[in-house]
């Protein structure tokens, strides 16, 4: 199992920056992928950014060039640096871990979410 705790959300003006953090309860080196999702009010939860165990990253088109996902294996931390924030980035942001065990069974774990509000 993996417990995930997000932090760093808050209120920021459009054009500003925030850095979200996700603390994992265990070593993340072998976790298949760590992701940031977001859920805006009355909208479905959507994938924003992914970082694999090999360090590959991917982003939804709407945040490319503005958001950067990174990991610190020594600290068991995942980060999401968000720059040039827009009101449409307003959402609750969730950290997600995808774990694949030795029998190729896949498990997903979620944090409790951290709210981000971008004012215009």
């Amino acid at each position: 199992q993996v417990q995930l705790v997000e932090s760093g959300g808050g209120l920021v003006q459009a054009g500003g920056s925030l850095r979200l953090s996700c603390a994992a309860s265990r070593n993340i080196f072998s976790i298949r992928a760590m992701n940031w999702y977001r859920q805006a009010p009355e909208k479905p939860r959507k994938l924003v950014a992914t970082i694999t165990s090999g360090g590959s990253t991917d982003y939804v088109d709407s945040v490319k060039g503005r958001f950067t996902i990174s990991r610190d294996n020594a600290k068991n931390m995942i980060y999401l640096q968000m720059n040039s924030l827009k009101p449409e980035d307003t959402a609750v942001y969730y950290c997600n871990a995808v774990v694949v065990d030795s029998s190729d069974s896949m498990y997903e774990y979620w944090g409790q979410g951290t709210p981000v509000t971008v004012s215009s």
Side-chain angles (χ1 to χ4, degrees):
Q1 280 205 349
V2 183
Q3 282 80 49
L4 303 170
V5 179
E6 303 96 334
S7 61
L11 174 64
V12 64
Q13 288 189 331
S17 298
L18 283 174
R19 188 177 83 152
L20 305 183
S21 299
C22 173
S25 62
R26 51 156 276 192
N27 189 292
I28 64 171
F29 181 77
S30 60
I31 292 179
R32 181 66 59 89
M34 301 266 331
N35 308 295
W36 285 99
Y37 282 76
R38 67 185 179 187
Q39 186 168 20
E42 301 182 1
K43 297 284 182 66
R45 192 173 297 186
K46 292 186 176 181
L47 180 63
V48 175
T50 296
I51 187 164
T52 68
S53 57
S56 298
T57 60
D58 199 11
Y59 302 89
V60 67
D61 284 347
S62 59
V63 308
K64 283 181 180 177
R66 301 189 297 123
F67 290 12
T68 303
I69 188 171
S70 61
R71 60 194 296 159
D72 185 332
N73 291 336
K75 296 181 179 179
N76 299 332
M77 295 289 293
I78 297 293
Y79 305 99
L80 186 68
Q81 178 66 43
M82 306 187 296
N83 299 326
S84 302
L85 282 161
K86 304 175 181 180
E88 51 263 44
D89 295 318
T90 295
V92 178
Y93 284 72
Y94 296 90
C95 183
N96 165 272
V98 177
V99 177
V100 179
D101 69 13
S102 57
S103 62
D104 283 338
S105 295
M106 188 178 78
Y107 304 89
E108 282 195 277
Y109 301 94
W110 295 89
Q112 83 288 351
T114 185
V116 171
T117 303
V118 184
S119 63
S120 57

